[in-house]
Each structure stands twice: as C-alpha cells, then as structure tokens.
Amino acid sequence: MSTIAAVNTRNQFRGKVVGVKRSPVVSEVEIETGAGIVSAIVTSSSLEVLDLKLGDPVIALFKATEVLIAAVSND
Amino acid sequence: MSTIAAVNTRNQFRGKVVGVKRSPVVSEVEIETGAGIVSAIVTSSSLEVLDLKLGDPVIALFKATEVLIAAVSND
Amino acid sequence: MSTIAAVNTRNQFRGKVVGVKRSPVVSEVEIETGAGIVSAIVTSSSLEVLDLKLGDPVIALFKATEVLIAAVSND
Amino acid sequence: MSTIAAVNTRNQFRGKVVGVKRSPVVSEVEIETGAGIVSAIVTSSSLEVLDLKLGDPVIALFKATEVLIAAVSND
Amino acid sequence: MSTIAAVNTRNQFRGKVVGVKRSPVVSEVEIETGAGIVSAIVTSSSLEVLDLKLGDPVIALFKATEVLIAAVSND
Amino acid sequence: MSTIAAVNTRNQFRGKVVGVKRSPVVSEVEIETGAGIVSAIVTSSSLEVLDLKLGDPVIALFKATEVLIAAVSND
C-alpha cells in the first residue's frame, strides 16, 4: 500500500469504526467522530485491503466540492 | 426556494458560518461544527440565493458515497 | 430530522418516486421529473429514515460540480 | 477527442447552452433542459477543448451516486 | 443511447474490461489502463444498457473535482 | 497533518506534478501518471498546506463511485 504522507483535503475527521454492513460489491462503514456518526460507502474490495475491524482508529475524508450547505429555519 | 422537509443523507452536521472566500464562479465556505471546520466549495450563484452571512446557523451535508476512509498508523 | 429551510445547490428537480430497487447496503430510487427519469443511488439506511413510497413527491438534488457536459454530434 | 459511443450513466439530459461564466480555473455552464436549468461547474481547460458556444446542443450527465433525495413538506 | 461526440472531462483513460462483479443495485467494473486497474462502481441497470463484456474496449472518465492529491513520504 | 497509513480507495495513481494553475478559491493541478495527465481541482487553501511544487512525487486518488464508463465505437 502507498506510503502517503498527507492528503490535500481539509475535511479530515478522526474517529473509530463503530459499524460495518457488508455486501458483495459495496459496504457501509460507520465512523464515530467528534460531530457524530459519519457514514461511508466504500467498495467491499477496498475494505478488505484496509482490513478494518470495529474499534479501529480511522480518518473520514471528503472533498470540499462534495459538501452541500443547508440554511436552517428558526421554527 | 423549495420547502424541503428532510434530505436523505445521514451525513448532516450542524454548525455556523465562520468564513466565506468568494470568487466569480465558486466560493469556499467554512463551517464550524462539533468535529472542527468543514470546508465547502459551492457555486457563487447558489451562495447568493442562500444569502449566507458570518455566524448564520447552517447544516453541512455530504453523501456517504463521497467519503474515503484512511487507516491511521500508530507511530 | 433537521428543519432545513433551503439547500444551496441550484440543481433541484421536483418529481415523484416511480421505482425503488432495494439491497442491504444501497438502493436505487427512480424519480420521474419534467426532463425524464432521474436515478439516485442512496444508502438503504438513509432511505428508511425518509420512509419513501411509490408516488411520493420528492426533489432530486445534485451539485454543479458533479455534472459533466457532452457535445452532441449532428449525424 | 475519443470516439465515445455511449456513457453508462442513465442521468443524461439533453438541452442547450444558455449561459457560460468563465474564470481562470473553473467555469459555470448553464444548460436549459426539459426540467429547467442544470448548472455545471467544469474546468475552464476542458471547456476550451469542447469549444462550447451559447445555443449549442449538449447533454448534461451526472452519476446516480451523486443524487440526493429530499422529501417535500406539504405546507 | 445518445450520440455523444465528446465529453468535457480531461480525465479519460482508455482500457479494457478485465472484471465485472455484479449485485442487484450496483456493480464493480475493473478496467485495465496504462496506469493500472481503474475500479468503477456503476448502477447495474446502466451496466445492462452498455452490455459490457470482458475484453471490451472502454474509457474510464472521472471529473477533476473528484480527484484528491496525496503527498508521498520518502521513507 | 494526520499520519495516514493507507487510504481505502483502489484508484491510486503515482505521478509527479507537471502543472499548477492557481486562483483565489480553487486551483488545477496536473499530474503526469503512467496513463497520461490526471487533472485535479482542489481548494487553493488545501494546496498551500501540501506546499506542492513542480516535479514533486504525488498520488492521485479518486473513488470508484466517481468513475463513469464509456463504450467506444469502432469507426
């Protein structure tokens, strides 16, 4: 696996694996972070390479271009 | 603007606007959430529609399919 | 679920649910809009939260950064 | 440019170019489709390759994995 | 299927299909390119439309906004 | 910067920086890989953190869910 020093995206949230739901092609991984659960859909093949287990420390990364912003109503 | 009741993605993080860097086509919005700053790149035209100002309460949304997972080395 | 007033993306297309294909991790939802069927892949867990049924009025949202443009040949 | 016969995504909407906002790195293209305006953010370098002009017939493409679904409130 | 002349994204890599892992909603397609295997997750419904078989010549396309950059450590 | 050991996505292509086009909010980085130039749009703020220079060894990463597949016509 590549020796990555750093990844450019600023959106990097530390957490730990608290759930993994597997299926043949894609799996859903739940990561508990400081702001709550982040859900990630990844290929099951890539998940095997990382060999993730419940409780493992991980980082959830996502690009700024993928983020939508919602204005909140004050009702 | 549409009267949205709820959006399907589970990745929704409440925060407030703490930075806006504008340019003609896209702008970067910084949102302070419970897990730190989320950076969002949005079209400047859509930003005008929301009329966001510093301190406004917002929600940062991103799909689970957009999240990568990094294993953390224990050095 | 959050009380969202508006979401920043300009690409918002009203329609109704005309198809749902479920599987354990992800599901495909077909939405009939003014320009034809929009297909969405969402996590099955998020779909349960919205409790969508055939015929429900919904909005399909997607960011401008996700759109590719194809030139059309005039043959 | 490659001779593409077909692209896999089902989300393909025909329309014509009705607006182009350029900046050095990215540009916003507005495409009038049967369901309204689709906004696309593309690299300015790729836009030059397509040599798009106002009124040109184009197709807006986006993957199903990029689509969010919002439930609509009946107020 | 549309008669596409060219697609705007610069990231287009020629290759051939060397693997297809199907499931009801999404499928993983492996494409052997000049830089190694590119993995694509597509809707199974869109895959049927293209009727891809092992060995077929294809092009893998992805937008510049979807690419992350990692600095590499020199250990 | 986080000490990342490995990132889950299988689409990781080694190369070197051969072009950087900067603007206030986003920048385009061109990476020469074994399959040709990969173009990446990243936030200018994240680019500063990585302090990339022409000739630097990097890895271009992109998720499988972001890849479209085009069938190629045999004209």
Short mmCIF file of all heavy atoms in Angstrom, two decimals, chain E residues 20-67:
data_model
loop_
_atom_site.label_atom_id
_atom_site.label_comp_id
_atom_site.label_asym_id
_atom_site.label_seq_id
_atom_site.Cartn_x
_atom_site.Cartn_y
_atom_site.Cartn_z
N VAL E 20 -15.89 -7.90 -13.81
CA VAL E 20 -17.23 -7.35 -13.50
C VAL E 20 -17.79 -8.13 -12.33
O VAL E 20 -17.91 -9.36 -12.40
CB VAL E 20 -18.20 -7.46 -14.70
CG1 VAL E 20 -19.58 -6.89 -14.31
CG2 VAL E 20 -17.67 -6.74 -15.93
N LYS E 21 -18.07 -7.44 -11.22
CA LYS E 21 -18.67 -8.09 -10.05
C LYS E 21 -20.08 -7.49 -9.91
O LYS E 21 -20.21 -6.30 -9.65
CB LYS E 21 -17.84 -7.81 -8.79
CG LYS E 21 -18.14 -8.73 -7.62
CD LYS E 21 -17.66 -8.23 -6.28
CE LYS E 21 -16.20 -8.14 -6.06
NZ LYS E 21 -15.86 -7.73 -4.68
N ARG E 22 -21.10 -8.30 -10.15
CA ARG E 22 -22.47 -7.77 -10.19
C ARG E 22 -23.20 -7.99 -8.87
O ARG E 22 -22.95 -8.96 -8.15
CB ARG E 22 -23.28 -8.46 -11.30
CG ARG E 22 -22.82 -8.14 -12.70
CD ARG E 22 -23.60 -8.95 -13.75
NE ARG E 22 -22.91 -8.91 -15.02
CZ ARG E 22 -23.11 -7.98 -15.96
NH1 ARG E 22 -24.00 -7.02 -15.75
NH2 ARG E 22 -22.42 -8.00 -17.09
N SER E 23 -24.10 -7.05 -8.55
CA SER E 23 -25.09 -7.29 -7.49
C SER E 23 -26.36 -6.56 -7.94
O SER E 23 -26.31 -5.83 -8.93
CB SER E 23 -24.59 -6.76 -6.14
OG SER E 23 -24.72 -5.37 -6.03
N PRO E 24 -27.50 -6.78 -7.24
CA PRO E 24 -28.76 -6.27 -7.79
C PRO E 24 -28.75 -4.78 -8.11
O PRO E 24 -29.24 -4.35 -9.15
CB PRO E 24 -29.77 -6.60 -6.68
CG PRO E 24 -29.19 -7.78 -5.97
CD PRO E 24 -27.71 -7.57 -6.01
N VAL E 25 -28.15 -3.96 -7.25
CA VAL E 25 -28.30 -2.50 -7.43
C VAL E 25 -27.05 -1.86 -8.07
O VAL E 25 -27.14 -1.07 -8.99
CB VAL E 25 -28.61 -1.82 -6.07
CG1 VAL E 25 -28.60 -0.29 -6.20
CG2 VAL E 25 -29.99 -2.29 -5.58
N VAL E 26 -25.86 -2.26 -7.58
CA VAL E 26 -24.62 -1.70 -8.16
C VAL E 26 -23.66 -2.82 -8.54
O VAL E 26 -23.73 -3.92 -8.00
CB VAL E 26 -23.92 -0.72 -7.17
CG1 VAL E 26 -24.73 0.54 -6.94
CG2 VAL E 26 -23.59 -1.41 -5.86
N SER E 27 -22.77 -2.51 -9.47
CA SER E 27 -21.76 -3.49 -9.90
C SER E 27 -20.40 -2.81 -9.92
O SER E 27 -20.31 -1.58 -10.09
CB SER E 27 -22.11 -4.01 -11.30
OG SER E 27 -23.35 -4.71 -11.29
N GLU E 28 -19.35 -3.61 -9.72
CA GLU E 28 -17.98 -3.08 -9.80
C GLU E 28 -17.35 -3.56 -11.10
O GLU E 28 -17.36 -4.76 -11.37
CB GLU E 28 -17.14 -3.52 -8.61
CG GLU E 28 -15.72 -2.94 -8.64
CD GLU E 28 -14.91 -3.24 -7.39
OE1 GLU E 28 -15.36 -4.06 -6.55
OE2 GLU E 28 -13.82 -2.64 -7.23
N VAL E 29 -16.84 -2.63 -11.88
CA VAL E 29 -16.18 -2.97 -13.15
C VAL E 29 -14.70 -2.61 -13.02
O VAL E 29 -14.36 -1.51 -12.55
CB VAL E 29 -16.80 -2.19 -14.34
CG1 VAL E 29 -16.09 -2.53 -15.65
CG2 VAL E 29 -18.29 -2.50 -14.44
N GLU E 30 -13.83 -3.55 -13.37
CA GLU E 30 -12.39 -3.29 -13.34
C GLU E 30 -11.90 -3.06 -14.77
O GLU E 30 -12.17 -3.88 -15.67
CB GLU E 30 -11.65 -4.46 -12.70
CG GLU E 30 -11.98 -4.58 -11.21
CD GLU E 30 -11.25 -5.74 -10.55
OE1 GLU E 30 -10.87 -6.68 -11.28
OE2 GLU E 30 -11.06 -5.68 -9.32
N ILE E 31 -11.19 -1.95 -14.96
CA ILE E 31 -10.73 -1.56 -16.30
C ILE E 31 -9.20 -1.48 -16.26
O ILE E 31 -8.63 -0.75 -15.45
CB ILE E 31 -11.32 -0.19 -16.69
CG1 ILE E 31 -12.84 -0.23 -16.69
CG2 ILE E 31 -10.78 0.28 -18.04
CD1 ILE E 31 -13.49 1.13 -16.59
N GLU E 32 -8.54 -2.26 -17.10
CA GLU E 32 -7.07 -2.24 -17.17
C GLU E 32 -6.63 -1.09 -18.07
O GLU E 32 -6.94 -1.08 -19.27
CB GLU E 32 -6.56 -3.58 -17.71
CG GLU E 32 -5.07 -3.78 -17.53
CD GLU E 32 -4.69 -5.15 -18.06
OE1 GLU E 32 -4.62 -5.30 -19.30
OE2 GLU E 32 -4.52 -6.08 -17.23
N THR E 33 -5.94 -0.09 -17.49
CA THR E 33 -5.48 1.07 -18.27
C THR E 33 -3.95 1.11 -18.26
O THR E 33 -3.33 0.28 -17.59
CB THR E 33 -5.98 2.39 -17.63
OG1 THR E 33 -5.22 2.62 -16.42
CG2 THR E 33 -7.46 2.32 -17.30
N GLY E 34 -3.39 2.09 -18.92
CA GLY E 34 -1.93 2.23 -18.99
C GLY E 34 -1.29 2.44 -17.62
O GLY E 34 -0.10 2.20 -17.42
N ALA E 35 -2.09 2.88 -16.62
CA ALA E 35 -1.52 3.16 -15.28
C ALA E 35 -1.98 2.13 -14.27
O ALA E 35 -1.80 2.32 -13.08
CB ALA E 35 -1.96 4.55 -14.83
N GLY E 36 -2.60 1.05 -14.74
CA GLY E 36 -3.07 0.02 -13.81
C GLY E 36 -4.58 -0.09 -13.83
O GLY E 36 -5.26 0.51 -14.67
N ILE E 37 -5.12 -0.83 -12.87
CA ILE E 37 -6.56 -1.10 -12.83
C ILE E 37 -7.30 0.12 -12.30
O ILE E 37 -6.96 0.67 -11.26
CB ILE E 37 -6.86 -2.31 -11.92
CG1 ILE E 37 -6.15 -3.57 -12.42
CG2 ILE E 37 -8.36 -2.52 -11.78
CD1 ILE E 37 -6.84 -4.29 -13.55
N VAL E 38 -8.34 0.55 -13.03
CA VAL E 38 -9.28 1.55 -12.52
C VAL E 38 -10.55 0.79 -12.13
O VAL E 38 -11.07 -0.01 -12.90
CB VAL E 38 -9.62 2.62 -13.58
CG1 VAL E 38 -10.81 3.49 -13.13
CG2 VAL E 38 -8.41 3.50 -13.85
N SER E 39 -11.03 1.04 -10.89
CA SER E 39 -12.24 0.40 -10.41
C SER E 39 -13.40 1.39 -10.52
O SER E 39 -13.25 2.56 -10.12
CB SER E 39 -12.06 -0.02 -8.94
OG SER E 39 -13.30 -0.33 -8.34
N ALA E 40 -14.52 0.94 -11.09
CA ALA E 40 -15.70 1.82 -11.23
C ALA E 40 -16.90 1.13 -10.59
O ALA E 40 -17.14 -0.06 -10.81
CB ALA E 40 -15.99 2.09 -12.70
N ILE E 41 -17.65 1.91 -9.79
CA ILE E 41 -18.93 1.41 -9.25
C ILE E 41 -20.03 2.09 -10.06
O ILE E 41 -20.10 3.33 -10.12
CB ILE E 41 -19.08 1.77 -7.76
CG1 ILE E 41 -18.05 1.04 -6.91
CG2 ILE E 41 -20.51 1.44 -7.28
CD1 ILE E 41 -18.29 -0.42 -6.68
N VAL E 42 -20.85 1.29 -10.73
CA VAL E 42 -21.93 1.85 -11.56
C VAL E 42 -23.24 1.13 -11.21
O VAL E 42 -23.23 0.06 -10.62
CB VAL E 42 -21.62 1.67 -13.06
CG1 VAL E 42 -20.37 2.45 -13.47
CG2 VAL E 42 -21.50 0.20 -13.43
N THR E 43 -24.37 1.75 -11.57
CA THR E 43 -25.64 1.05 -11.31
C THR E 43 -25.71 -0.16 -12.23
O THR E 43 -25.30 -0.11 -13.41
CB THR E 43 -26.83 1.97 -11.62
OG1 THR E 43 -26.77 2.39 -12.98
CG2 THR E 43 -26.86 3.18 -10.71
N SER E 44 -26.22 -1.26 -11.71
CA SER E 44 -26.34 -2.48 -12.52
C SER E 44 -27.26 -2.22 -13.70
O SER E 44 -27.06 -2.76 -14.80
CB SER E 44 -26.84 -3.61 -11.63
OG SER E 44 -25.90 -3.81 -10.58
N SER E 45 -28.26 -1.36 -13.50
CA SER E 45 -29.19 -1.06 -14.60
C SER E 45 -28.44 -0.37 -15.76
O SER E 45 -28.67 -0.67 -16.93
CB SER E 45 -30.34 -0.17 -14.10
OG SER E 45 -29.84 0.94 -13.38
N SER E 46 -27.52 0.54 -15.42
CA SER E 46 -26.80 1.24 -16.51
C SER E 46 -25.82 0.30 -17.19
O SER E 46 -25.55 0.40 -18.39
CB SER E 46 -26.05 2.46 -15.96
OG SER E 46 -24.88 2.07 -15.25
N LEU E 47 -25.31 -0.65 -16.41
CA LEU E 47 -24.36 -1.62 -16.98
C LEU E 47 -25.05 -2.48 -18.04
O LEU E 47 -24.50 -2.77 -19.10
CB LEU E 47 -23.83 -2.51 -15.85
CG LEU E 47 -22.55 -3.31 -16.15
CD1 LEU E 47 -21.43 -2.39 -16.61
CD2 LEU E 47 -22.13 -4.09 -14.92
N GLU E 48 -26.30 -2.85 -17.77
CA GLU E 48 -27.04 -3.67 -18.75
C GLU E 48 -27.21 -2.90 -20.07
O GLU E 48 -27.07 -3.47 -21.15
CB GLU E 48 -28.43 -4.05 -18.21
CG GLU E 48 -28.42 -5.34 -17.37
CD GLU E 48 -29.42 -5.21 -16.21
OE1 GLU E 48 -30.55 -4.75 -16.50
OE2 GLU E 48 -29.05 -5.53 -15.06
N VAL E 49 -27.47 -1.60 -19.95
CA VAL E 49 -27.67 -0.79 -21.17
C VAL E 49 -26.41 -0.85 -22.04
O VAL E 49 -26.48 -0.98 -23.26
CB VAL E 49 -28.00 0.68 -20.79
CG1 VAL E 49 -27.99 1.57 -22.04
CG2 VAL E 49 -29.35 0.75 -20.09
N LEU E 50 -25.22 -0.77 -21.39
CA LEU E 50 -23.97 -0.78 -22.18
C LEU E 50 -23.62 -2.19 -22.66
O LEU E 50 -22.81 -2.37 -23.55
CB LEU E 50 -22.80 -0.25 -21.35
CG LEU E 50 -22.65 1.25 -21.19
CD1 LEU E 50 -21.23 1.59 -20.75
CD2 LEU E 50 -22.95 2.01 -22.47
N ASP E 51 -24.21 -3.22 -22.00
CA ASP E 51 -23.98 -4.63 -22.40
C ASP E 51 -22.48 -4.93 -22.51
O ASP E 51 -21.99 -5.47 -23.50
CB ASP E 51 -24.67 -4.89 -23.75
CG ASP E 51 -24.61 -6.38 -24.13
OD1 ASP E 51 -24.50 -7.21 -23.18
OD2 ASP E 51 -24.60 -6.71 -25.32
N LEU E 52 -21.73 -4.55 -21.43
CA LEU E 52 -20.26 -4.73 -21.44
C LEU E 52 -19.89 -6.19 -21.21
O LEU E 52 -20.52 -6.87 -20.42
CB LEU E 52 -19.62 -3.87 -20.35
CG LEU E 52 -19.58 -2.36 -20.60
CD1 LEU E 52 -18.82 -1.66 -19.48
CD2 LEU E 52 -18.92 -2.05 -21.94
N LYS E 53 -18.83 -6.63 -21.89
CA LYS E 53 -18.31 -8.00 -21.68
C LYS E 53 -16.80 -7.91 -21.44
O LYS E 53 -16.15 -6.91 -21.82
CB LYS E 53 -18.59 -8.86 -22.92
CG LYS E 53 -20.07 -9.13 -23.16
CD LYS E 53 -20.31 -9.92 -24.43
CE LYS E 53 -19.91 -9.10 -25.66
NZ LYS E 53 -20.54 -7.77 -25.73
N LEU E 54 -16.24 -8.96 -20.82
CA LEU E 54 -14.79 -8.98 -20.57
C LEU E 54 -14.06 -8.76 -21.89
O LEU E 54 -14.44 -9.29 -22.93
CB LEU E 54 -14.38 -10.33 -19.94
CG LEU E 54 -14.88 -10.56 -18.50
CD1 LEU E 54 -14.31 -11.87 -17.96
CD2 LEU E 54 -14.47 -9.40 -17.59
N GLY E 55 -13.03 -7.92 -21.84
CA GLY E 55 -12.23 -7.66 -23.04
C GLY E 55 -12.71 -6.47 -23.86
O GLY E 55 -11.99 -5.98 -24.73
N ASP E 56 -13.92 -5.99 -23.59
CA ASP E 56 -14.44 -4.84 -24.38
C ASP E 56 -13.55 -3.61 -24.18
O ASP E 56 -13.14 -3.31 -23.05
CB ASP E 56 -15.87 -4.50 -23.93
CG ASP E 56 -16.91 -5.39 -24.60
OD1 ASP E 56 -16.50 -6.24 -25.43
OD2 ASP E 56 -18.12 -5.25 -24.28
N PRO E 57 -13.28 -2.87 -25.26
CA PRO E 57 -12.54 -1.60 -25.13
C PRO E 57 -13.48 -0.54 -24.54
O PRO E 57 -14.63 -0.40 -24.99
CB PRO E 57 -12.17 -1.24 -26.57
CG PRO E 57 -13.23 -1.88 -27.41
CD PRO E 57 -13.66 -3.12 -26.67
N VAL E 58 -13.03 0.16 -23.50
CA VAL E 58 -13.85 1.20 -22.87
C VAL E 58 -12.96 2.39 -22.49
O VAL E 58 -11.74 2.34 -22.60
CB VAL E 58 -14.55 0.68 -21.60
CG1 VAL E 58 -15.61 -0.36 -21.93
CG2 VAL E 58 -13.55 0.15 -20.60
N ILE E 59 -13.61 3.46 -22.04
CA ILE E 59 -12.90 4.61 -21.49
C ILE E 59 -13.43 4.87 -20.09
O ILE E 59 -14.65 4.87 -19.88
CB ILE E 59 -13.13 5.86 -22.37
CG1 ILE E 59 -12.58 5.65 -23.78
CG2 ILE E 59 -12.50 7.09 -21.72
CD1 ILE E 59 -13.00 6.71 -24.76
N ALA E 60 -12.53 5.02 -19.13
CA ALA E 60 -12.89 5.40 -17.76
C ALA E 60 -12.81 6.92 -17.68
O ALA E 60 -11.79 7.50 -18.05
CB ALA E 60 -11.94 4.76 -16.76
N LEU E 61 -13.91 7.55 -17.26
CA LEU E 61 -13.95 9.02 -17.14
C LEU E 61 -14.21 9.40 -15.69
O LEU E 61 -15.03 8.77 -15.02
CB LEU E 61 -15.08 9.62 -17.99
CG LEU E 61 -15.19 9.29 -19.47
CD1 LEU E 61 -16.24 8.20 -19.69
CD2 LEU E 61 -15.61 10.53 -20.25
N PHE E 62 -13.53 10.45 -15.24
CA PHE E 62 -13.85 11.00 -13.91
C PHE E 62 -13.49 12.48 -13.91
O PHE E 62 -12.55 12.91 -14.57
CB PHE E 62 -13.11 10.25 -12.79
CG PHE E 62 -11.64 10.08 -13.00
CD1 PHE E 62 -10.74 10.99 -12.46
CD2 PHE E 62 -11.13 9.02 -13.76
CE1 PHE E 62 -9.38 10.85 -12.68
CE2 PHE E 62 -9.76 8.88 -13.98
CZ PHE E 62 -8.87 9.79 -13.43
N LYS E 63 -14.29 13.26 -13.16
CA LYS E 63 -14.12 14.72 -13.16
C LYS E 63 -12.90 15.12 -12.31
O LYS E 63 -12.56 14.46 -11.33
CB LYS E 63 -15.37 15.39 -12.61
CG LYS E 63 -16.57 15.30 -13.55
CD LYS E 63 -17.64 16.29 -13.14
CE LYS E 63 -17.17 17.71 -13.41
NZ LYS E 63 -18.19 18.74 -13.29
N ALA E 64 -12.30 16.24 -12.68
CA ALA E 64 -11.14 16.75 -11.94
C ALA E 64 -11.52 17.09 -10.50
O ALA E 64 -10.72 16.98 -9.58
CB ALA E 64 -10.59 17.99 -12.64
N THR E 65 -12.80 17.48 -10.31
CA THR E 65 -13.22 17.84 -8.95
C THR E 65 -13.29 16.63 -8.03
O THR E 65 -13.45 16.77 -6.82
CB THR E 65 -14.62 18.50 -8.99
OG1 THR E 65 -15.45 17.74 -9.88
CG2 THR E 65 -14.53 19.94 -9.47
N GLU E 66 -13.21 15.43 -8.59
CA GLU E 66 -13.30 14.21 -7.76
C GLU E 66 -11.92 13.70 -7.34
O GLU E 66 -11.83 12.70 -6.62
CB GLU E 66 -14.03 13.09 -8.53
CG GLU E 66 -15.34 13.49 -9.17
CD GLU E 66 -16.34 14.08 -8.19
OE1 GLU E 66 -16.17 13.89 -6.97
OE2 GLU E 66 -17.27 14.77 -8.63
N VAL E 67 -10.86 14.34 -7.77
CA VAL E 67 -9.51 13.81 -7.52
C VAL E 67 -8.90 14.45 -6.28
O VAL E 67 -8.91 15.69 -6.13
CB VAL E 67 -8.60 14.08 -8.74
CG1 VAL E 67 -7.19 13.54 -8.49
CG2 VAL E 67 -9.20 13.45 -9.99
#
